[in-house]
Amino acid sequence: DALTQQDSSIVEVAKHKYASRIVKHLLKVCPAAQVSEVMENLLAAASTLACHMFGRFLVQHVLDSGTREQQYRLLRTIEQNALPISETCVGRNVFEVLLTHAAVEDLDKAWVARACAQDSKALLRLALDKRGHAVVLIMLEILEPRRDQRVSVSLAQHLDTLRASEFGRIVAQRLDVVGAEYP
């Protein structure tokens, strides 16, 4: 009850190292009607929480345990804010979980992967990153069966840069296997 009385503070509570665990536990054990306001506030702040060290666990909890509508809203928020989320280390973790999560439908994964691929410079930075390169590999895996080569083609323009980087090299090898149409 105390959490629902202060709408804006729930986001701050969700960012706290220990309090976020309490919120997550309450979301698990309390009836949906009792925590609906808390969930609404968390969904409204999903793009901020996805980039926060402790807030991301609540975002991941919604992926695991949220209703289909809550998951849909979360996915659309992440899709619409893909670039700023992918620029943070914590956000890249959220993308990795989202793109590999069994409960998320393949079409939703493809939407998020396409949103990440919109900015070729950001995509290249992601491919060169220690954690980000894994996200790019997952994106390729999701988009290939759909014959959607926007990630492959965008990265193929930077093969030399990719091959010069420890993590980019892994992505370049994957592109070679895929046989991306190089410009």
Side-chain angles (χ1 to χ4, degrees):
D1 223 14
L3 288 175
T4 58
Q5 290 175 356
Q6 298 178 12
D7 293 344
S8 62
S9 69
I10 189 63
V11 175
E12 294 308 312
V13 170
K15 293 179 182 179
H16 188 272
K17 184 176 184 176
Y18 301 113
S20 63
R21 295 176 188 180
I22 294 168
V23 173
K24 182 178 174 182
H25 181 72
L26 290 174
L27 291 173
K28 279 184 180 180
V29 299
C30 293
Q34 191 175 7
V35 292
S36 64
E37 287 180 54
V38 171
M39 183 61 82
E40 285 301 313
N41 289 321
L42 293 175
L43 288 170
S47 62
T48 302
L49 294 174
C51 297
H52 191 272
M53 187 183 329
F54 301 113
R56 75 179 164 129
F57 294 115
L58 289 168
V59 170
Q60 292 169 356
H61 172 75
V62 175
L63 283 174
D64 288 334
S65 306
T67 65
R68 179 66 189 131
E69 179 194 344
Q70 291 166 344
Q71 290 173 344
Y72 178 83
R73 289 176 54 200
L74 176 65
L75 289 167
R76 295 295 77 82
T77 299
I78 291 174
E79 176 190 5
Q80 292 165 1
N81 297 285
L83 184 58
I85 293 172
S86 71
E87 294 287 326
T88 67
C89 184
V90 173
R92 289 187 285 275
N93 287 340
V94 170
F95 275 118
E96 188 172 357
V97 168
L98 187 150
L99 293 173
T100 57
H101 199 280
V104 179
E105 293 182 22
D106 288 343
L107 183 59
D108 292 332
K109 291 177 184 180
W111 284 346
V112 172
R114 286 185 193 111
C116 285
Q118 298 250 338
D119 184 322
S120 62
K121 290 179 183 176
L123 183 62
L124 179 61
R125 284 192 301 274
L126 202 58
L128 298 173
D129 182 75
K130 182 178 181 178
R131 187 164 300 276
H133 83 282
V135 174
V136 171
L137 293 173
I138 295 165
M139 290 167 57
L140 287 166
E141 201 174 294
I142 289 168
L143 295 176
E144 282 170 13
R146 292 180 156 59
R147 306 237 186 270
D148 187 335
Q149 293 189 333
R150 71 185 78 203
V151 174
S152 306
V153 171
S154 178
L155 290 172
Q157 298 171 15
H158 305 284
L159 276 177
D160 292 337
T161 306
L162 289 170
R163 288 186 177 131
S165 162
E166 177 183 359
F167 301 108
R169 192 173 307 128
I170 298 166
V171 174
Q173 289 171 348
R174 177 75 169 126
L175 289 173
D176 290 338
V177 170
V178 171
E181 296 177 11
Y182 303 134

